[in-house]
Structure formats: structure tokens, C-alpha cells
Amino acid sequence: MGKRKSKAKPAPKKRMDKLDTVFSCPFCNHGSSVECRIDMKNLIGEAICRICQESFSTTVTALTEPIDIYSEWIDECARVNNLEDYGD
């Protein structure tokens, strides 16, 4: 008589690392001073520096994460700086 075959156990699910919600400010360069908040009711994402009170707001979708809001802020700062360089 043969032995019954056992079912193979499924592989354990890998955990996704948590993304940051606080970042360094592009204006005052303080680390962990910018906090990103997402208001899904009004579809607005906001990044605010607790030190220098600079802020940035943008529209969000259901897939938007705090890092996306911060990245858009950095991109917007770079775009404005490039416009100033070419404007002179």
C-alpha cells in the first residue's frame, strides 16, 4: 500500500514595505518636516512643512499615495526653477 500524497503548502505572502508619509522640505531642508495628507472626500492631497509653513496641494485619485503628492511638489519646484532660469 502506498502513502497518500500531501498537498503542498502555499508560499507565504510577501509583505509590502510601508511607504513614507513624512519627507524633507525642499525649501528649508528640515528632515521629516513635510507631512502629506489625503482627503478622499474632496479628492485633494496636501503636503505641508511644519517648520516653514510652505504647502502644496493637488488633486488625487484612489491610487494616490503620500509619496506621489511629495513627488509632484518636487517636480513642480523643479519646473518653476527651470522657467526662472530661461526667463532671465
Side-chain angles (χ1 to χ4, degrees):
M1 290 186 66
K3 188 177 178 184
R4 286 190 180 175
K5 292 183 180 180
S6 63
K7 290 186 179 181
K9 292 184 180 179
K13 293 183 180 179
K14 292 184 180 178
R15 289 188 179 179
M16 292 290 291
D17 291 335
K18 295 285 185 182
L19 297 174
D20 291 337
T21 57
V22 290
F23 309 96
S24 61
C25 180
F27 294 99
C28 66
N29 292 324
H30 276 83
S32 301
S33 63
V34 174
E35 184 178 356
C36 295
R37 297 185 194 142
I38 299 175
D39 181 9
M40 290 306 294
K41 185 176 181 182
N42 297 321
L43 297 177
I44 295 175
E46 190 171 32
I48 303 171
C49 177
R50 293 184 292 239
I51 307 299
C52 66
Q53 302 302 319
E54 284 291 329
S55 65
F56 174 78
S57 61
T58 185
T59 58
V60 297
T61 64
L63 301 176
T64 303
E65 295 288 331
I67 186 70
D68 299 325
I69 298 168
Y70 181 73
S71 296
E72 284 186 33
W73 189 15
I74 297 299
D75 292 343
E76 187 67 20
C77 290
R79 188 186 67 78
V80 169
N81 286 338
N82 287 339
L83 287 177
E84 289 177 0
D85 290 344
Y86 293 122
D88 291 340

